[in-house]
Amino acid sequence: MAIKNSKRLIIDASILQAAGITEQPTSKQCRGVLRTVISVCHRAVLTPILQDEWDKHAQRSAVAREWITAMQGRKEKLQNLTRFSHSLVQPEVEILAIDPFIKRIILKDVHLVEAALSMDRIIISLDERAKHHFSSIVSNIPDLTKLMWVNPLRDENVIDWLKQGAEPDKRRCLGFTDDET
């Protein structure tokens, strides 16, 4: 199934690590996301840091290894962001007066945010803790509110959303609260 509006997605290594062959909900949902990305015209974006994480986690999952191989075999399904630098958000995070533990969590995954801001502003990740902490700093870094952070376990409609073109949805954006509906 091909859609016209292809999105460039940042797929966290947590998705690859969790995708397995079992029918356990996490494994099944992450596997479904990966299969959907490859079956529609979305692309996965890789930064050097994300490539290292993928390589590490793919060793633990046959599904991830097969998916990466299939993506590499299809023209334009993987987009390398080689001239990638942490110049959009990292400096702003570095100067925030927040708990050092929280800052470390944010800085660990800032590469996902930086890449997403450079592309189509979509992160697919299981990491709710990082999502929560990024959401907590949107008042300091308003550009973060433009990012959709999608967790396949928390968003039961993510596969349909991907199939329908992964259009912007404020309910999936960092910092969104139910008060905004």
Side-chain angles (χ1 to χ4, degrees):
M1 166 198 255
I3 55 176
K4 292 180 183 178
N5 194 8
S6 174
K7 295 291 191 287
R8 296 165 298 173
L9 310 170
I10 310 306
I11 301 174
D12 187 25
S14 64
I15 301 296
L16 278 77
Q17 181 177 5
I21 59 172
T22 72
E23 291 304 306
Q24 188 269 348
T26 303
S27 175
K28 184 178 180 179
Q29 192 71 351
C30 290
R31 183 176 65 244
V33 165
L34 295 177
R35 287 181 176 166
T36 301
V37 168
I38 204 162
S39 69
V40 298
C41 66
H42 297 309
R43 292 167 283 161
V45 177
L46 285 174
T47 67
I49 295 169
L50 194 52
Q51 177 73 60
D52 289 344
E53 291 179 357
W54 277 24
D55 291 345
K56 182 174 105 178
H57 292 294
Q59 294 173 9
R60 301 178 193 160
S61 168
V63 171
R65 284 191 306 274
E66 289 170 14
W67 181 78
I68 291 169
T69 300
M71 291 287 284
Q72 290 169 334
R74 295 188 183 194
K75 188 176 181 179
E76 299 178 12
K77 289 299 277 182
L78 289 179
Q79 181 174 346
N80 289 308
L81 194 55
T82 54
R83 295 184 187 175
F84 176 74
S85 70
H86 297 296
S87 60
L88 300 171
V89 176
Q90 185 173 350
E92 293 183 63
V93 171
E94 294 279 3
I95 62 170
L96 287 177
I98 59 174
D99 181 292
F101 176 74
I102 293 171
K103 190 180 283 190
R104 274 193 303 275
I105 292 168
I106 291 170
L107 289 172
K108 177 191 164 290
D109 282 333
V110 75
H111 65 99
L112 300 173
V113 168
E114 297 275 359
L117 285 170
S118 305
M119 295 291 133
D120 291 322
R121 301 179 177 164
I122 301 169
I123 297 170
I124 302 176
S125 174
L126 296 176
D127 193 341
E128 282 296 305
R129 183 173 67 167
K131 178 182 179 180
H132 169 76
H133 291 313
F134 277 107
S135 291
S136 75
I137 62 171
V138 297
S139 62
N140 302 95
I141 308 172
D143 280 348
L144 296 179
T145 62
K146 299 173 185 174
L147 290 178
M148 290 182 285
W149 189 298
V150 181
N151 180 335
L153 295 182
R154 302 261 177 158
D155 184 348
E156 60 196 41
N157 300 318
V158 69
I159 291 173
D160 288 336
W161 176 71
L162 287 166
K163 286 178 180 178
Q164 294 166 10
E167 293 303 319
D169 180 349
K170 68 180 180 179
R171 291 170 295 163
R172 291 180 165 98
C173 290
L174 288 176
F176 174 79
T177 62
D178 289 330
D179 301 341
E180 297 178 39
T181 55

